[in-house]
Amino acid sequence: MKKNLLSLLLCAIVNLVNAQIQDDIYSSVVGPNNEPVIFNAINMNSYDLVSSNVQFSKDNNLQKLVFSPFKLLKDIPHPLLRNTKFNISQKNGISTFGVGTGIDNSSAFSKRGDKLFDEMDFPVKRSKRDGESTQEYEVYKAKFNYTLDSLQTTYHKKLLTNSFQLTLAMNTSLFSVIGGDKVDKDNDGLIDNQNTVESYNYSLSVAYAFSERTALSASIHNIRQLADASEGQKRVNYLGVSFSFTNRISVLDRNYKFSDEYKKSLFIPAIFLGITIEYLDAQNNLRFAKDGITRKLVFTPYLDFKINLKNQFRIGVPIQKFESISTEVVLGPYIQWGFSLSNLN
Amino acid sequence: MTKLFSELNLSQFETGDILKSFQRDLISPQLYLTFKYTPKRKMVFYHLSVKIDGSTKDLLEKNAIKGSDGNQTFFIGEFKKGEEIEISYGVLPITEVPEAIALIGQTNPQEAYQVDPAIPGKTKSLERSVNWENTIKYKIK
C-alpha cells in the first residue's frame, strides 16, 4: 500500500513539473545517481529542477525522485531556498524522505551569473536595407539568428564551466511497517515492529563541473542505522565517503548544436564513462551492524547513455568488498550488473 | 534623444520665435515603447526599428541592450498627429521569463496601451532562447 502511494506521489510530482515553466535546467553530468550502490537512496547531487531515477539490480532496487520546487517560483527567492531539494525514494522496501539545500553558482540568477551576463555583448539586428533583395535579407537574418543562438548557449556554457554545487542534506529512512499494533510474530519475546525509523542520514556533497563534458563529485555521510525494526536493536553509527568522476567519451548526435534541447538546456546526446568509489565504516555497536557487515567498499565503473533529456540509462558494474565483525572474513569482491533509468517522463 | 527648438530657423529668428519653437516642441507627441517583465530574468533587446512613410530607421546601434530589472523603456521618436508608424522589435530571453508585456506610451496627449499581447491584462510567458519578435502599427493620436 505504502509502495503504491509512493509511486503515485512520484508520478504526480513529475506530471506537475512537466506542466510548469522549467528554468535554468542543465543536463547534469553529475546526476543524483552518481553514488550508485551504498548511498543511492540519499544522494541529492543534481543541477536539475527534477530528476527521477529507477535502478534495478539483484540486491539494489531503487525508485527515486529529487525535486527543487522553489525553482518554479516567479520571484527568485533567496539562493538557499531556491536550491532547496526534496528527495523521495524507495529502496528494497525502505522509504526515504529527505531535504537538502546549498549553493549552486551555475545558476543564471547567482552573482556569478549576473557578472557573466554583464561581460557579454550581443549584436544588433538591422532592418532590410534599401536595394537589398528579400533573399539577401533572409540570408542575413539566418546568420544573425545563428550568432544569437550561439551567444545564448555560450553564456550558459560559461555558467556551467568550472561551476560547483554544494549540498547539505538530511534524509530519514523508514521501515516498511510504520504503524499498527506491536506484535511478536516469531515468539522470541521481542516486539518485531518496535522501531519505525530505519536510519537518519546526514550528508555534505560537492559537485564540480569542469565543463559540459567532465565533472566530479565528493561526499561525506553520517548514518545512524538500525539493522531491523525489532526490539533490542541499537543504532550503529556509520561514517561514509564517496568520490565520483565522469567524462564524455562519445557524442551520439554531431548536429546537437541545432537541437532545441541543446539551446534550452545544453543537453548533448552522448555516452559518458565514469567511476564511483563508495566507502562505509561502522563506528560503534558493531554487533548490531546490518547483516553483520561493518565495512563496505564499492567501486562502480559505469556507462551513462544520455539519449535525450527524458530518456537516459546507466549500466554499472559494482565491485564490492564487505567485511564482517563476527567472522572477520572478506566476503567480496563480487560483481553484479546495475541498470538505472533517470529523468523518466 | 529628444531635440528641442527643432523648428527654430537659425537664419531668421527673434526672441518670440524661440519661445514659440520651444512650445511647439513640447506639444509634439513623443512615443515610448516599454517592456515590462518578471524582474531578475535576463533579456537581450536586439532589434528595434520604426517605419514611417515607407522609410525604416533602426533605433539600436552596435550592441544590443541587456536588461534584468524588469523594465526597459525605449524612446521611439517625436511624431506629428495622425502619422501612422510601424514599430518592430526583437527580444531574446536568456532565462525563462514567466511574464512579459510590451506597452506604448505617448505624450501630448497622454495615451498608453498594451500592445503585446494585444489583450490588456494578458501576459506572455517566454521560453529560454525562443525569440520574441513582433511588428505593431500605431497611429499617433
Side-chain angles (χ1 to χ4, degrees):
Chain A
M1 180 67 179
K2 192 176 69 166
K3 191 173 179 179
N4 290 338
L5 281 174
L6 188 61
S7 300
L8 278 173
L9 188 58
L10 294 180
C11 290
I13 290 174
V14 171
N15 287 329
L16 171 74
V17 169
N18 285 334
Q20 303 273 344
I21 295 167
Q22 300 198 351
D23 206 354
D24 75 325
I25 308 157
Y26 287 115
S27 65
S28 296
V29 283
V30 180
N33 56 350
N34 70 328
E35 294 176 304
V37 179
I38 300 178
F39 308 112
N40 53 357
I42 54 176
N43 178 289
M44 291 168 79
N45 284 345
S46 173
Y47 286 89
D48 300 315
L49 171 71
V50 61
S51 53
S52 47
N53 182 229
V54 180
Q55 190 172 335
F56 309 98
S57 65
K58 178 176 165 283
D59 304 316
N60 210 345
N61 295 310
L62 175 78
Q63 299 150 45
K64 180 180 171 185
L65 185 135
V66 178
F67 179 40
S68 306
F70 300 109
K71 288 191 173 183
L72 294 170
L73 294 178
K74 284 180 194 166
D75 297 323
I76 308 296
H78 188 278
L80 287 180
L81 182 60
R82 182 175 163 74
N83 294 327
T84 297
K85 306 167 213 182
F86 296 96
N87 174 39
I88 306 169
S89 64
Q90 192 164 66
K91 179 181 175 181
N92 302 335
I94 302 292
S95 299
T96 298
F97 302 91
V99 61
T101 187
I103 300 165
D104 178 4
N105 81 345
S106 72
S107 168
F109 306 112
S110 64
K111 285 181 181 172
R112 179 169 171 263
D114 291 340
K115 184 171 175 283
L116 288 171
F117 187 58
D118 289 342
E119 288 171 358
M120 287 192 74
D121 286 328
F122 293 83
V124 163
K125 185 171 108 177
R126 64 168 173 79
S127 302
K128 185 170 173 286
R129 289 173 177 149
D130 292 339
E132 187 176 27
S133 71
T134 304
Q135 190 181 1
E136 285 171 333
Y137 187 59
E138 288 300 319
V139 170
Y140 161 77
K141 279 202 300 187
K143 284 181 183 172
F144 176 86
N145 287 336
Y146 179 75
T147 305
L148 205 60
D149 282 346
S150 301
L151 285 167
Q152 187 267 137
T153 50
T154 298
Y155 170 70
H156 288 282
K157 276 171 77 171
K158 282 184 176 180
L159 275 177
L160 188 61
T161 302
N162 293 319
S163 66
F164 72 90
Q165 188 186 55
L166 190 71
T167 303
L168 186 64
M170 194 194 98
N171 283 273
T172 301
S173 300
L174 305 177
F175 287 113
S176 52
V177 178
I178 57 172
D181 296 333
K182 304 291 183 192
V183 293
D184 176 16
K185 270 188 169 177
D186 50 8
N187 295 316
D188 62 354
L190 297 172
I191 302 295
D192 296 336
N193 57 343
Q194 180 66 33
N195 298 293
T196 54
V197 177
E198 190 253 4
S199 62
Y200 297 100
N201 311 276
Y202 306 92
S203 63
L204 179 67
S205 305
V206 180
Y208 189 90
F210 294 95
S211 65
E212 56 201 320
R213 179 176 185 155
T214 310
L216 60 80
S217 71
S219 303
I220 56 172
H221 297 268
N222 176 252
I223 301 171
R224 293 192 297 124
Q225 186 182 45
L226 287 175
D228 61 58
S230 64
E231 191 179 2
Q233 289 290 330
K234 286 187 178 177
R235 287 196 185 278
V236 180
N237 195 35
Y238 293 92
L239 191 64
V241 292
S242 80
F243 175 81
S244 183
F245 179 82
T246 183
N247 189 55
R248 191 177 70 207
I249 55 170
S250 175
V251 173
L252 299 175
D253 178 8
R254 293 282 163 197
N255 295 318
Y256 67 86
K257 284 186 179 176
F258 301 101
S259 73
D260 280 348
E261 288 185 333
Y262 183 70
K263 284 196 279 186
K264 290 178 184 172
S265 68
L266 293 186
F267 180 84
I268 301 171
I271 301 172
F272 286 77
L273 176 65
I275 185 163
T276 298
I277 303 163
E278 298 168 273
Y279 177 72
L280 187 71
D281 191 27
Q283 305 291 300
N284 64 353
N285 298 330
L286 301 187
R287 71 186 182 89
F288 292 99
K290 193 168 187 175
D291 301 325
I293 295 166
T294 55
R295 192 169 291 159
K296 291 182 182 179
L297 179 63
V298 183
F299 295 85
T300 310
Y302 59 82
L303 281 173
D304 253 343
F305 295 83
K306 295 178 182 287
I307 311 301
N308 57 45
L309 268 177
K310 291 171 183 169
N311 295 292
Q312 301 173 31
F313 65 93
R314 168 181 295 189
I315 296 173
V317 185
I319 302 163
Q320 311 192 28
K321 184 180 175 184
F322 295 168
E323 271 184 39
S324 165
I325 186 68
S326 56
T327 60
E328 293 186 359
V329 171
V330 176
L331 301 175
Y334 70 90
I335 291 175
Q336 66 175 27
W337 284 93
F339 181 74
S340 73
L341 299 164
S342 59
N343 288 335
L344 294 170
N345 187 7
Chain B
M1 182 182 289
T2 305
K3 290 178 181 174
L4 296 177
F5 307 105
S6 51
E7 294 189 12
L8 186 67
N9 183 352
L10 291 178
S11 304
Q12 186 184 357
F13 68 95
E14 296 173 358
T15 306
D17 296 329
I18 297 173
L19 183 59
K20 277 182 191 171
S21 170
F22 184 58
Q23 285 171 335
R24 240 178 255 124
D25 284 329
L26 291 183
I27 61 170
S28 294
Q30 296 179 341
L31 204 64
Y32 296 86
L33 180 68
T34 293
F35 295 92
K36 267 192 83 68
Y37 55 96
T38 313
K40 295 188 182 177
R41 309 292 165 145
K42 292 177 169 56
M43 303 264 264
V44 174
F45 303 89
Y46 61 84
H47 179 71
L48 182 63
S49 65
V50 60
K51 186 176 179 183
I52 181 167
D53 293 334
S55 172
T56 304
K57 182 184 176 188
D58 284 322
L59 300 175
L60 300 177
E61 294 175 353
K62 291 183 182 174
N63 291 326
I65 306 294
K66 295 176 289 184
S68 61
D69 67 357
N71 188 318
Q72 188 70 46
T73 297
F74 295 96
F75 178 63
I76 304 300
E78 284 184 3
F79 303 94
K80 292 173 188 165
K81 286 181 183 176
E83 274 186 318
E84 292 185 0
I85 62 170
E86 275 185 19
I87 302 168
S88 297
Y89 53 81
V91 185
L92 173 70
I94 298 292
T95 57
E96 298 276 352
V97 181
E99 292 175 321
I101 58 170
L103 302 144
I104 271 187
Q106 181 193 314
T107 63
N108 304 316
Q110 290 182 350
E111 302 278 349
Y113 304 97
Q114 179 177 329
V115 290
D116 195 1
I119 301 166
K122 196 175 177 186
T123 60
K124 282 181 92 76
S125 169
L126 307 177
E127 280 184 57
R128 172 175 146 185
S129 86
V130 178
N131 298 8
W132 177 22
E133 293 190 346
N134 197 9
T135 297
I136 51 173
K137 290 182 179 176
Y138 183 76
K139 186 175 181 179
I140 305 298
K141 306 290 186 292

